[in-house]
Every structure is written in structure tokens, then in C-alpha cells.
Amino acid sequence: MSDCCTMTEEKPPNPNKHCCPDNGRAGAEVSVKTIAHHLKHPWTWRDAGVRYFFCGDPECNVVYFGDDDSVITRQQLRTRVGVKEAVPDAPVCYCFGVSHADAVQDASIREYVIEQTRQQQCSCDVSNPSGRCCLKDFPRHS
Ligand SMILES: [Zn+2]
């Protein structure tokens, strides 16, 4: 079972993690399946059989990088990476099509998404290019 939507605190970066060759920051590991679901031309991409990671830094153009220092940039994806876009229509939740503006305007959307994840109706592990639950990307309401 996937644990993508357990609402635990973010763990400190694992020292075994590889760092983005562009900005030098560690990223969370993603599956080859996730990458293939977001690549523009997945049939032209060759899985080198290494571990792949997601770079969530908004300033960095790299989305995925491998243990072999191979990189996949935003331009190579067919999916928009919401955490790398500071625009109102940037996608936040990929399972239910929630934009950043939606989430800002209506705080109850977050409750809806939480309820869906509770009922295992989400597919963040594949639908979200980060391979992880979108709830941490929701804008905070005070
Ligand atoms: Zn990066």
C-alpha cells in the first residue's frame, strides 16, 4: 500500500539521498512510474536503472534527477509542476484538479481533499509529479 498521504511531518533529508546537480539540494525519491506519467515523450526516455528524485525547489528548473546525475527539466514534462510556478492557476492537487487560486478562495477544499485521502480516493503517488501527497502544498489559511 502506498503511504503517500499519511499526514506526518516531513522527515529531515536522508544522508543517502542524492542531491540535485543544479541547486545541490536533496530531494524525495520518486518511482519510474511517476516519472513516465509526467514526461512529454516517455517513449524517448530511458530508465538507467538508478534511483530518481524530485527537486521541489521553485527556483530550480530541474524536476527529476538520478543517482547518475541525469536530469529531467520542466520543459520535458507534459504536466505543469505547481510548486515551481508562482501563478494563481498553478496546480496544487492533481487528483481533484485544485488550483492555487481555488485553494486560497475556498478553505473547505482542503478538508475535501483530506477526506478523500482518508478514504483512499487519491492517487498522488502517480498523479502528482512530486510523487507525494499534495496536502503539504496547500496554501495555509490562518
Ligand atoms: Zn533542483
Side-chain angles (χ1 to χ4, degrees), residues 20-25 55-57 59-63 65 84:
C20 174
D22 202 331
N23 69 357
R25 294 200 202 165
C55 178
D57 180 357
E59 306 293 320
C60 188
N61 198 39
V62 171
V63 181
F65 55 94
K84 291 181 185 280

Side-chain angles (χ1 to χ4, degrees), residues 12-23:
N14 179 328
N16 290 328
K17 270 179 185 165
H18 199 70
C19 290
C20 174
D22 202 331
N23 69 357

Side-chain angles (χ1 to χ4, degrees), residues 9 28 133:
E9 284 298 304
C133 184

